[in-house]
Amino acid sequence: CRIIGDNIRRYAMDTGGICTRQHRYILQGSSCDIFNVIEQCNPVSVHHEEGYVLLTSIGIVDREEQTLEEDQDWVHKKISCSDASVKGLVDQIINGTAEIVCDGSFGNSQSSSAFISVHDDTLYGGNIVPGNPSCHSAYRGELAGILSIMVLVNNVAGKDSITEGRVTIGCDCQGAISAVKNVYWISSKWNNFDILKRIQFEVRNSTIKFDFYKVKAHQDEIKKYHELDRWEKANVKADMLAKEFLKNSARREDRQDIHMNINDKTGWMIQVNNEIVTREIRDKIVEHVWTFQGRRFWM
């Protein structure tokens, strides 16, 4: 705070809406009556020096709790739930009976993942996993699915102030399960370090205990659906969801954007992916549109 005449210049920290692990603060100043400010302050110590008043105190900067709707990053690109399904999940977490299955998919140099509740198939979600094409794999999709469940559970636990609970995550990839079980120590040399680091953060900052169950994959190919157990049925659904997310999504660099520009000198021109088409314009448009759709359908 700085005294200017009868007013005091008050500075407050503004997080700017940044929700990173290490907040960045910006000092913003506003003038107000000095006596009003002094009445509102409860400083630990006060120092007066050459027109300045230094108020020293200790406090906590609170972040608003993230709800399911406020989770804007890629982990929950799509999520479907109802009040009843979330309430059921809360009860299951507290009772230690929550069971959620995830699965990953891979194709066309892109990974996706999905998860679904074993006890309520109206609670599900999925995503398209970020990263360069060279880093994608089915394994990366499996890790992303585990991460999605952890973020979901931690959001629900935080919103409902759950201080203790247990969730069992079902996954058909033993490699992903083993990696997550040993996530307390990870190396930057490992593949998928970014997802493992995020999983590590979720585990360390969670009040919930995560257990894992190895699900047998693709059991619907050798058994009739009614013969599958609850884990295998949920795995089949998660696998279908992950494939559907992958099919219906389009990575930005794969999109075939077509634009028409008009100017007085050249008339109209067609651009495909920001490149001017100079010949065989009709064929180029057809090729780009149908090649894109065909790739998404068959791959």
Side-chain angles (χ1 to χ4, degrees), residues 4-277:
I4 305 175
D6 292 333
N7 290 335
I8 186 170
R9 187 73 171 172
R10 178 174 58 186
Y11 293 90
M13 289 185 296
D14 178 24
T15 63
I18 299 173
C19 292
T20 58
R21 297 177 196 172
Q22 183 176 1
H23 290 286
R24 301 172 184 174
Y25 302 111
I26 302 174
L27 289 177
Q28 293 185 344
S30 60
S31 298
C32 54
D33 186 87
I34 185 172
F35 300 104
N36 291 336
V37 173
I38 297 300
E39 290 177 358
Q40 296 170 8
C41 293
N42 295 300
V44 173
S45 60
V46 181
H47 301 281
H48 299 265
E49 184 177 353
E50 298 180 357
Y52 287 85
V53 177
L54 177 62
L55 307 176
T56 305
S57 183
I58 299 175
I60 299 174
V61 179
D62 291 323
R63 289 189 297 175
E64 294 184 358
E65 291 180 345
Q66 281 189 316
T67 64
L68 299 183
E69 294 77 16
E70 292 169 339
D71 188 26
Q72 298 294 329
D73 64 0
W74 63 269
V75 177
H76 288 158
K77 193 66 177 178
K78 177 176 177 59
I79 187 168
S80 174
C81 61
S82 63
D83 291 340
S85 63
V86 174
K87 184 180 183 302
L89 179 60
V90 169
D91 294 338
Q92 293 163 18
I93 293 173
I94 295 173
N95 296 330
T97 59
E99 298 173 336
I100 309 176
V101 172
C102 63
D103 200 8
S105 187
F106 172 72
N108 194 31
S109 301
Q110 181 66 61
S111 306
S112 67
S113 75
F115 65 86
I116 189 167
S117 170
V118 173
H119 303 290
D120 185 354
D121 59 9
T122 65
L123 175 58
Y124 65 89
N127 54 57
I128 295 298
V129 189
N132 295 324
S134 60
C135 75
H136 283 288
S137 64
Y139 174 68
R140 183 172 175 82
E142 300 284 357
L143 289 175
I146 293 175
L147 173 61
S148 298
I149 294 174
M150 289 184 172
V151 173
L152 169 72
V153 169
N154 286 340
N155 281 348
V156 171
K159 185 178 180 181
D160 286 77
S161 302
I162 302 175
T163 58
E164 186 177 358
R166 184 178 294 268
V167 174
T168 302
I169 298 176
C171 180
D172 61 16
C173 179
Q174 184 59 54
I177 293 176
S178 299
V180 174
K181 282 185 175 181
N182 296 284
V183 79
Y184 291 97
W185 184 89
I186 58 178
S187 171
S188 60
K189 297 180 180 180
W190 294 358
N191 293 335
N192 305 297
F193 173 79
D194 57 329
I195 297 181
L196 289 171
K197 192 68 176 176
R198 178 75 183 272
I199 291 175
Q200 183 187 68
F201 175 82
E202 295 297 331
V203 171
R204 287 179 173 177
N205 292 274
S206 180
T207 60
I208 308 303
K209 172 67 175 178
F210 293 102
D211 297 323
F212 296 91
Y213 178 81
K214 173 62 172 65
V215 184
K216 293 182 179 179
H218 307 294
Q219 291 301 293
D220 57 320
E221 297 177 359
I222 59 177
K223 297 180 184 178
K224 294 182 180 179
Y225 186 77
H226 71 271
E227 297 176 336
L228 304 178
D229 63 27
R230 68 182 189 279
W231 290 101
E232 293 166 346
K233 288 179 179 179
N235 180 254
V236 170
K237 296 174 183 177
D239 178 63
M240 294 174 62
L241 286 170
K243 285 181 170 60
E244 190 67 20
F245 288 135
L246 189 63
K247 177 181 176 181
N248 292 336
S249 69
R251 296 176 58 228
R252 185 176 299 275
E253 54 268 36
D254 285 341
R255 289 188 179 276
Q256 305 303 323
D257 295 322
I258 300 176
H259 301 283
M260 181 173 69
N261 295 329
I262 301 176
N263 62 55
D264 296 335
K265 295 181 179 179
T266 61
W268 60 270
M269 293 186 299
I270 296 295
Q271 286 184 318
V272 176
N273 291 343
N274 297 320
E275 294 183 0
I276 297 176
V277 181

